[in-house]
Amino acid sequence: MTEPVRVGVVGMGTVGSGVVRLLVESADHIERHAGRRIVVERAVVKDVAKARSVPVPGGKISSDIRDISRDPSISVAALLVGGLEPARSMMIELLENGKDVVTANKALLAEHGPELFELARKHGRSIAFEAAVAGGIPIVAAIGECLAANRIESIRGILNGTSNFILTRMEEDGANYADVLKLAQQKGFAEADPSMDVDGTDATQKLAILAHLAFGVWVPWAEIPRTGIEGLDLDLLNYAGELGYRIRLVAVASRSDGKLAMRVAPALVKIGTPLAETRGAYNAVSIVGDAVGRMFFHGLGAGQMPTASAVVADIIDTVVGRAAITFRTTGLLAADSPAAKLADVDSHERHFLRINVSDRPGVLAKITGLLGDHGISIASVIQHAETASADAGVPLVIMTHACASSAVQKAVAAIDKSDVIRGKSVCLGVLDE
Ligand code: NDP
Ligand code: HSE
C-alpha cells in the first residue's frame, strides 16, 4: 500500500483550522483526487494553550516551526500565518529543510515573493499560493494555466472580502461602518491588522500578484496607486444608489502601449452589472484575454472554508506533482522577472463628486464655474434641501461627463480652497463599461 503523505500545518487560525477540518472530514474524497492518503501530522501555532475549535489528529500541536521543518516524515507544509515576520523566516526554514510549501499569505508573496521563489528553486521545492488571491476562486490557476494561451489585456476585480462586506452591509442595512468592520473580524474575513483591508493594501498586494501572473512583470505593490474605503460614508452610498450605482473597492490593471495602468480605489459601478451585484465577502474578477474574450469569476473571497478549499487544492496539486511541474517549467515569481512600466493614472471616465457647500445664493454657479474652468462638463446634479445644516452646509452631488481624472482632481482642489466649502470633497471614478 502507498504510504500516506504527511502534512504539517503552520497556523491554526481561521484558515489553518479550516484546512485541518477539510483534510480530516473529506479524507476519502481527497485521497481519490490525490491518489494517496493525505494526513495532518502536526500543527504549529503561537499559543499551544489556546482552545481550538478543530482538534489536530493525534493532538500533535506545538509552537516550534522545527517540529515540522525537521520532521523527515512531513513532505508538505501549509504556511497559514499572516504578515511578514515570522512568516518569512518560517517559509525559509521550511524550504531549506526540503518541504514543499502551500500558503495563503499574499502580503508575504507581494513583499518577498521573488526572493522566496528563488530559494524554493534552489532547493528543488515548490510554493503554491492559490488561496492568496480571491480566497476560494481559482484565479491563480485560471490565469497561470487555463488562460495561458492568451495575452491578457485587462483585469478588473473586487479582491478584498472585508471591504466588500462592509460596503454591502452599509448600503443594504444602513449599518454603521465600525460595527460591520467588527463583524467582519468576528467572521474571520479581516486581516490580523484590519487597516490592511480597509486602506486598500490587501487588494493592492493581490492585484500585484495577479498582474505578475497575467502580464509576466513584477510590480512592487507599494507603487500601485491605492485608496481604501475609510473615507466613505452611508450618505455617499445612498447618493450613488440614487444615481443607479453601487460603490465598490475595485482593483484595475490594464495594458496599453507597453505600459500597465493599475490602481485600487473605490468606484461607482452600475447596478445590475456583475461587480455591483458582488455582495458580502464575495470577490469577483473580470479578465479580458485576446483569444478568450471577457471572462468573469465570482465566489467567496474570504472566510474559513472557501479559503481552505483553495489551500487543500494546492496541497493535492503538490502531492500529485503538478505544483512542482508548474514551478519548474514557468518563471513564476522569478527574481529576474522584468519590472513593470506603470502608466500615469489619468483615466478618462465620468466622475462622481460630493461637495459640501454653504447654503446661500450663487454657490452652485461658483462650483459649476470652477468645474467649467477645468473643462469639466456636468451630467447631473442632486441637492436635497432638507439635508442642509448651518454647520456642515449642504451636500451637492455632481455626476460629470467623461473627463480626465487629472482635470477633475485639479478642479476639486480649487473647489476645496474656495470660501463656499464646508468640509473636504469626495471624488470617485465611474466604471461604466
Ligand atoms: P489568523 O490570525 O486567524 O491565524 C493565524 C495563525 O497563525 C494562528 O493560529 C496563530 O497562532 C498562528 N501564528 C501567529 N504567529 C505565530 C508564530 N510566531 N508561530 C506559530 N504560529 C503563529 O489568520 P487567518 O487564518 O485569517 O490568515 C492566515 C493567512 O491566510 C494570512 O496570511 C491571511 O492573509 C491569509 N488569508 C486569510 C483569509 C481569511 O479569510 N481569513 C482568506 C485568504 C487568505 P495562535 O492560534 O496560537 O494565535
Ligand atoms: N482579509 C482578506 C479579505 C482575506 O478580506 O479579503 C482574504 O484574502
mmCIF file of all heavy atoms in Angstrom, residues 177-210:
data_model
loop_
_atom_site.group_PDB
_atom_site.id
_atom_site.type_symbol
_atom_site.label_atom_id
_atom_site.label_comp_id
_atom_site.label_asym_id
_atom_site.label_seq_id
_atom_site.Cartn_x
_atom_site.Cartn_y
_atom_site.Cartn_z
ATOM 1 N N TYR A 177 -20.314 51.736 9.796
ATOM 2 C CA TYR A 177 -19.013 51.246 9.290
ATOM 3 C C TYR A 177 -18.239 50.472 10.366
ATOM 4 O O TYR A 177 -17.801 49.325 10.135
ATOM 5 C CB TYR A 177 -18.209 52.459 8.810
ATOM 6 C CG TYR A 177 -16.819 52.182 8.314
ATOM 7 C CD1 TYR A 177 -16.555 52.068 6.950
ATOM 8 C CD2 TYR A 177 -15.744 52.057 9.190
ATOM 9 C CE1 TYR A 177 -15.265 51.828 6.485
ATOM 10 C CE2 TYR A 177 -14.464 51.816 8.741
ATOM 11 C CZ TYR A 177 -14.226 51.707 7.393
ATOM 12 O OH TYR A 177 -12.952 51.466 6.944
ATOM 13 N N ALA A 178 -18.075 51.078 11.545
ATOM 14 C CA ALA A 178 -17.244 50.460 12.586
ATOM 15 C C ALA A 178 -17.860 49.145 13.067
ATOM 16 O O ALA A 178 -17.145 48.159 13.299
ATOM 17 C CB ALA A 178 -17.068 51.420 13.756
ATOM 18 N N ASP A 179 -19.200 49.097 13.159
ATOM 19 C CA ASP A 179 -19.866 47.866 13.614
ATOM 20 C C ASP A 179 -19.653 46.741 12.607
ATOM 21 O O ASP A 179 -19.411 45.591 12.971
ATOM 22 C CB ASP A 179 -21.385 48.085 13.773
ATOM 23 C CG ASP A 179 -21.701 49.037 14.913
ATOM 24 O OD1 ASP A 179 -20.790 49.272 15.736
ATOM 25 O OD2 ASP A 179 -22.834 49.546 14.954
ATOM 26 N N VAL A 180 -19.759 47.073 11.319
ATOM 27 C CA VAL A 180 -19.617 45.996 10.311
ATOM 28 C C VAL A 180 -18.167 45.529 10.228
ATOM 29 O O VAL A 180 -17.914 44.343 9.992
ATOM 30 C CB VAL A 180 -20.072 46.423 8.894
ATOM 31 C CG1 VAL A 180 -20.411 45.200 8.055
ATOM 32 C CG2 VAL A 180 -21.233 47.348 8.910
ATOM 33 N N LEU A 181 -17.230 46.441 10.427
ATOM 34 C CA LEU A 181 -15.822 46.019 10.429
ATOM 35 C C LEU A 181 -15.604 45.003 11.554
ATOM 36 O O LEU A 181 -14.947 43.970 11.361
ATOM 37 C CB LEU A 181 -14.897 47.232 10.570
ATOM 38 C CG LEU A 181 -13.399 46.918 10.721
ATOM 39 C CD1 LEU A 181 -12.888 46.049 9.572
ATOM 40 C CD2 LEU A 181 -12.576 48.199 10.780
ATOM 41 N N LYS A 182 -16.192 45.300 12.729
ATOM 42 C CA LYS A 182 -16.061 44.355 13.864
ATOM 43 C C LYS A 182 -16.652 42.991 13.490
ATOM 44 O O LYS A 182 -16.081 41.937 13.780
ATOM 45 C CB LYS A 182 -16.800 44.903 15.086
ATOM 46 C CG LYS A 182 -15.860 45.590 16.056
ATOM 47 C CD LYS A 182 -16.545 45.837 17.404
ATOM 48 C CE LYS A 182 -16.051 47.160 17.948
ATOM 49 N NZ LYS A 182 -17.077 48.103 18.322
ATOM 50 N N LEU A 183 -17.798 43.025 12.815
ATOM 51 C CA LEU A 183 -18.457 41.775 12.424
ATOM 52 C C LEU A 183 -17.570 40.992 11.437
ATOM 53 O O LEU A 183 -17.446 39.766 11.526
ATOM 54 C CB LEU A 183 -19.816 42.123 11.784
ATOM 55 C CG LEU A 183 -20.768 40.978 11.492
ATOM 56 C CD1 LEU A 183 -21.097 40.188 12.749
ATOM 57 C CD2 LEU A 183 -22.075 41.530 10.883
ATOM 58 N N ALA A 184 -16.935 41.724 10.512
ATOM 59 C CA ALA A 184 -16.038 41.067 9.529
ATOM 60 C C ALA A 184 -14.871 40.407 10.254
ATOM 61 O O ALA A 184 -14.436 39.312 9.876
ATOM 62 C CB ALA A 184 -15.525 42.097 8.521
ATOM 63 N N GLN A 185 -14.401 41.048 11.325
ATOM 64 C CA GLN A 185 -13.306 40.452 12.108
ATOM 65 C C GLN A 185 -13.797 39.187 12.811
ATOM 66 O O GLN A 185 -13.132 38.157 12.792
ATOM 67 C CB GLN A 185 -12.776 41.459 13.129
ATOM 68 C CG GLN A 185 -12.004 42.595 12.477
ATOM 69 C CD GLN A 185 -11.539 43.620 13.501
ATOM 70 O OE1 GLN A 185 -12.304 44.462 13.957
ATOM 71 N NE2 GLN A 185 -10.280 43.539 13.871
ATOM 72 N N GLN A 186 -15.022 39.276 13.397
ATOM 73 C CA GLN A 186 -15.567 38.101 14.095
ATOM 74 C C GLN A 186 -15.768 36.936 13.135
ATOM 75 O O GLN A 186 -15.583 35.778 13.481
ATOM 76 C CB GLN A 186 -16.915 38.435 14.744
ATOM 77 C CG GLN A 186 -16.795 39.254 16.010
ATOM 78 C CD GLN A 186 -18.098 39.971 16.358
ATOM 79 O OE1 GLN A 186 -19.155 39.679 15.791
ATOM 80 N NE2 GLN A 186 -18.027 40.908 17.280
ATOM 81 N N LYS A 187 -16.138 37.238 11.902
ATOM 82 C CA LYS A 187 -16.389 36.177 10.924
ATOM 83 C C LYS A 187 -15.095 35.629 10.332
ATOM 84 O O LYS A 187 -15.118 34.719 9.509
ATOM 85 C CB LYS A 187 -17.295 36.697 9.803
ATOM 86 C CG LYS A 187 -18.753 36.842 10.243
ATOM 87 C CD LYS A 187 -19.585 37.428 9.104
ATOM 88 C CE LYS A 187 -21.063 37.430 9.436
ATOM 89 N NZ LYS A 187 -21.694 36.115 9.313
ATOM 90 N N GLY A 188 -13.951 36.242 10.691
ATOM 91 C CA GLY A 188 -12.658 35.725 10.219
ATOM 92 C C GLY A 188 -12.289 36.197 8.826
ATOM 93 O O GLY A 188 -11.382 35.648 8.210
ATOM 94 N N PHE A 189 -12.967 37.239 8.304
ATOM 95 C CA PHE A 189 -12.630 37.737 6.956
ATOM 96 C C PHE A 189 -11.405 38.657 6.987
ATOM 97 O O PHE A 189 -10.626 38.691 6.046
ATOM 98 C CB PHE A 189 -13.784 38.568 6.356
ATOM 99 C CG PHE A 189 -15.098 37.854 6.249
ATOM 100 C CD1 PHE A 189 -16.299 38.567 6.302
ATOM 101 C CD2 PHE A 189 -15.155 36.478 6.068
ATOM 102 C CE1 PHE A 189 -17.521 37.928 6.197
ATOM 103 C CE2 PHE A 189 -16.381 35.825 5.954
ATOM 104 C CZ PHE A 189 -17.558 36.560 6.026
ATOM 105 N N ALA A 190 -11.293 39.428 8.081
ATOM 106 C CA ALA A 190 -10.304 40.512 8.097
ATOM 107 C C ALA A 190 -8.904 39.999 8.406
ATOM 108 O O ALA A 190 -8.724 38.929 9.004
ATOM 109 C CB ALA A 190 -10.718 41.551 9.136
ATOM 110 N N GLU A 191 -7.913 40.782 7.998
ATOM 111 C CA GLU A 191 -6.530 40.502 8.364
ATOM 112 C C GLU A 191 -6.351 40.771 9.860
ATOM 113 O O GLU A 191 -7.149 41.479 10.474
ATOM 114 C CB GLU A 191 -5.583 41.415 7.572
ATOM 115 C CG GLU A 191 -5.621 41.189 6.070
ATOM 116 C CD GLU A 191 -5.263 39.769 5.682
ATOM 117 O OE1 GLU A 191 -4.176 39.295 6.029
ATOM 118 O OE2 GLU A 191 -6.094 39.105 5.032
ATOM 119 N N ALA A 192 -5.243 40.237 10.430
ATOM 120 C CA ALA A 192 -4.958 40.489 11.849
ATOM 121 C C ALA A 192 -4.916 42.007 12.082
ATOM 122 O O ALA A 192 -5.389 42.505 13.102
ATOM 123 C CB ALA A 192 -3.639 39.839 12.228
ATOM 124 N N ASP A 193 -4.354 42.742 11.105
ATOM 125 C CA ASP A 193 -4.402 44.209 11.155
ATOM 126 C C ASP A 193 -5.423 44.656 10.096
ATOM 127 O O ASP A 193 -5.101 44.744 8.916
ATOM 128 C CB ASP A 193 -3.014 44.777 10.837
ATOM 129 C CG ASP A 193 -3.060 46.291 10.654
ATOM 130 O OD1 ASP A 193 -4.128 46.894 10.887
ATOM 131 O OD2 ASP A 193 -2.016 46.857 10.290
ATOM 132 N N PRO A 194 -6.676 44.928 10.502
ATOM 133 C CA PRO A 194 -7.728 45.165 9.510
ATOM 134 C C PRO A 194 -7.551 46.454 8.712
ATOM 135 O O PRO A 194 -8.235 46.656 7.715
ATOM 136 C CB PRO A 194 -9.013 45.205 10.338
ATOM 137 C CG PRO A 194 -8.569 45.559 11.713
ATOM 138 C CD PRO A 194 -7.184 45.020 11.880
ATOM 139 N N SER A 195 -6.602 47.309 9.140
ATOM 140 C CA SER A 195 -6.378 48.515 8.334
ATOM 141 C C SER A 195 -5.887 48.112 6.937
ATOM 142 O O SER A 195 -6.108 48.829 5.969
ATOM 143 C CB SER A 195 -5.417 49.478 9.026
ATOM 144 O OG SER A 195 -4.153 48.883 9.131
ATOM 145 N N MET A 196 -5.235 46.947 6.835
ATOM 146 C CA MET A 196 -4.765 46.494 5.517
ATOM 147 C C MET A 196 -5.930 46.172 4.572
ATOM 148 O O MET A 196 -5.790 46.236 3.359
ATOM 149 C CB MET A 196 -3.882 45.258 5.668
ATOM 150 C CG MET A 196 -2.639 45.567 6.469
ATOM 151 S SD MET A 196 -1.523 44.196 6.561
ATOM 152 C CE MET A 196 -0.881 44.117 4.918
ATOM 153 N N ASP A 197 -7.077 45.788 5.156
ATOM 154 C CA ASP A 197 -8.266 45.529 4.335
ATOM 155 C C ASP A 197 -8.890 46.839 3.877
ATOM 156 O O ASP A 197 -9.171 47.016 2.698
ATOM 157 C CB ASP A 197 -9.298 44.739 5.149
ATOM 158 C CG ASP A 197 -8.831 43.331 5.482
ATOM 159 O OD1 ASP A 197 -8.721 42.540 4.550
ATOM 160 O OD2 ASP A 197 -8.576 43.035 6.672
ATOM 161 N N VAL A 198 -9.095 47.749 4.847
ATOM 162 C CA VAL A 198 -9.897 48.934 4.524
ATOM 163 C C VAL A 198 -9.096 50.045 3.852
ATOM 164 O O VAL A 198 -9.671 50.928 3.217
ATOM 165 C CB VAL A 198 -10.656 49.482 5.763
ATOM 166 C CG1 VAL A 198 -11.666 48.459 6.255
ATOM 167 C CG2 VAL A 198 -9.705 49.872 6.888
ATOM 168 N N ASP A 199 -7.754 49.998 3.967
ATOM 169 C CA ASP A 199 -6.977 51.057 3.294
ATOM 170 C C ASP A 199 -6.513 50.634 1.892
ATOM 171 O O ASP A 199 -5.737 51.344 1.259
ATOM 172 C CB ASP A 199 -5.796 51.533 4.157
ATOM 173 C CG ASP A 199 -4.639 50.530 4.197
ATOM 174 O OD1 ASP A 199 -4.698 49.491 3.523
ATOM 175 O OD2 ASP A 199 -3.658 50.804 4.920
ATOM 176 N N GLY A 200 -6.957 49.471 1.450
ATOM 177 C CA GLY A 200 -6.662 49.042 0.075
ATOM 178 C C GLY A 200 -5.366 48.257 -0.068
ATOM 179 O O GLY A 200 -5.060 47.729 -1.140
ATOM 180 N N THR A 201 -4.591 48.110 1.019
ATOM 181 C CA THR A 201 -3.300 47.396 0.926
ATOM 182 C C THR A 201 -3.495 45.949 0.471
ATOM 183 O O THR A 201 -2.810 45.472 -0.452
ATOM 184 C CB THR A 201 -2.575 47.421 2.300
ATOM 185 O OG1 THR A 201 -2.311 48.775 2.633
ATOM 186 C CG2 THR A 201 -1.287 46.634 2.261
ATOM 187 N N ASP A 202 -4.423 45.245 1.116
ATOM 188 C CA ASP A 202 -4.616 43.825 0.797
ATOM 189 C C ASP A 202 -5.009 43.630 -0.673
ATOM 190 O O ASP A 202 -4.441 42.794 -1.378
ATOM 191 C CB ASP A 202 -5.696 43.252 1.734
ATOM 192 C CG ASP A 202 -6.004 41.797 1.452
ATOM 193 O OD1 ASP A 202 -5.191 40.942 1.823
ATOM 194 O OD2 ASP A 202 -7.059 41.528 0.834
ATOM 195 N N ALA A 203 -5.949 44.447 -1.150
ATOM 196 C CA ALA A 203 -6.375 44.322 -2.556
ATOM 197 C C ALA A 203 -5.215 44.664 -3.494
ATOM 198 O O ALA A 203 -5.050 44.057 -4.560
ATOM 199 C CB ALA A 203 -7.570 45.238 -2.827
ATOM 200 N N THR A 204 -4.385 45.634 -3.100
ATOM 201 C CA THR A 204 -3.267 46.045 -3.954
ATOM 202 C C THR A 204 -2.223 44.934 -4.028
ATOM 203 O O THR A 204 -1.657 44.658 -5.096
ATOM 204 C CB THR A 204 -2.642 47.348 -3.401
ATOM 205 O OG1 THR A 204 -3.678 48.312 -3.238
ATOM 206 C CG2 THR A 204 -1.601 47.900 -4.342
ATOM 207 N N GLN A 205 -1.972 44.278 -2.886
ATOM 208 C CA GLN A 205 -0.998 43.174 -2.906
ATOM 209 C C GLN A 205 -1.507 42.034 -3.799
ATOM 210 O O GLN A 205 -0.740 41.428 -4.555
ATOM 211 C CB GLN A 205 -0.747 42.687 -1.471
ATOM 212 C CG GLN A 205 0.001 43.743 -0.661
ATOM 213 C CD GLN A 205 0.158 43.426 0.806
ATOM 214 O OE1 GLN A 205 -0.671 42.722 1.392
ATOM 215 N NE2 GLN A 205 1.198 43.956 1.417
ATOM 216 N N LYS A 206 -2.806 41.784 -3.731
ATOM 217 C CA LYS A 206 -3.377 40.728 -4.586
ATOM 218 C C LYS A 206 -3.302 41.136 -6.054
ATOM 219 O O LYS A 206 -3.011 40.311 -6.936
ATOM 220 C CB LYS A 206 -4.827 40.460 -4.176
ATOM 221 C CG LYS A 206 -4.941 39.786 -2.810
ATOM 222 C CD LYS A 206 -6.372 39.842 -2.308
ATOM 223 C CE LYS A 206 -6.563 39.084 -1.018
ATOM 224 N NZ LYS A 206 -7.842 39.386 -0.355
ATOM 225 N N LEU A 207 -3.569 42.417 -6.330
ATOM 226 C CA LEU A 207 -3.502 42.885 -7.724
ATOM 227 C C LEU A 207 -2.080 42.736 -8.264
ATOM 228 O O LEU A 207 -1.887 42.343 -9.424
ATOM 229 C CB LEU A 207 -3.959 44.349 -7.814
ATOM 230 C CG LEU A 207 -4.018 44.923 -9.232
ATOM 231 C CD1 LEU A 207 -5.089 44.214 -10.073
ATOM 232 C CD2 LEU A 207 -4.300 46.429 -9.207
ATOM 233 N N ALA A 208 -1.078 43.025 -7.418
ATOM 234 C CA ALA A 208 0.321 42.889 -7.864
ATOM 235 C C ALA A 208 0.611 41.435 -8.247
ATOM 236 O O ALA A 208 1.283 41.165 -9.251
ATOM 237 C CB ALA A 208 1.267 43.358 -6.762
ATOM 238 N N ILE A 209 0.083 40.494 -7.464
ATOM 239 C CA ILE A 209 0.312 39.067 -7.757
ATOM 240 C C ILE A 209 -0.402 38.684 -9.060
ATOM 241 O O ILE A 209 0.178 38.034 -9.938
ATOM 242 C CB ILE A 209 -0.175 38.190 -6.575
ATOM 243 C CG1 ILE A 209 0.696 38.468 -5.334
ATOM 244 C CG2 ILE A 209 -0.135 36.709 -6.949
ATOM 245 C CD1 ILE A 209 0.163 37.852 -4.042
ATOM 246 N N LEU A 210 -1.651 39.117 -9.211
ATOM 247 C CA LEU A 210 -2.388 38.798 -10.450
ATOM 248 C C LEU A 210 -1.703 39.426 -11.662
ATOM 249 O O LEU A 210 -1.628 38.803 -12.733
ATOM 250 C CB LEU A 210 -3.832 39.306 -10.373
ATOM 251 C CG LEU A 210 -4.774 38.563 -9.430
ATOM 252 C CD1 LEU A 210 -6.205 39.066 -9.627
ATOM 253 C CD2 LEU A 210 -4.718 37.059 -9.625
#
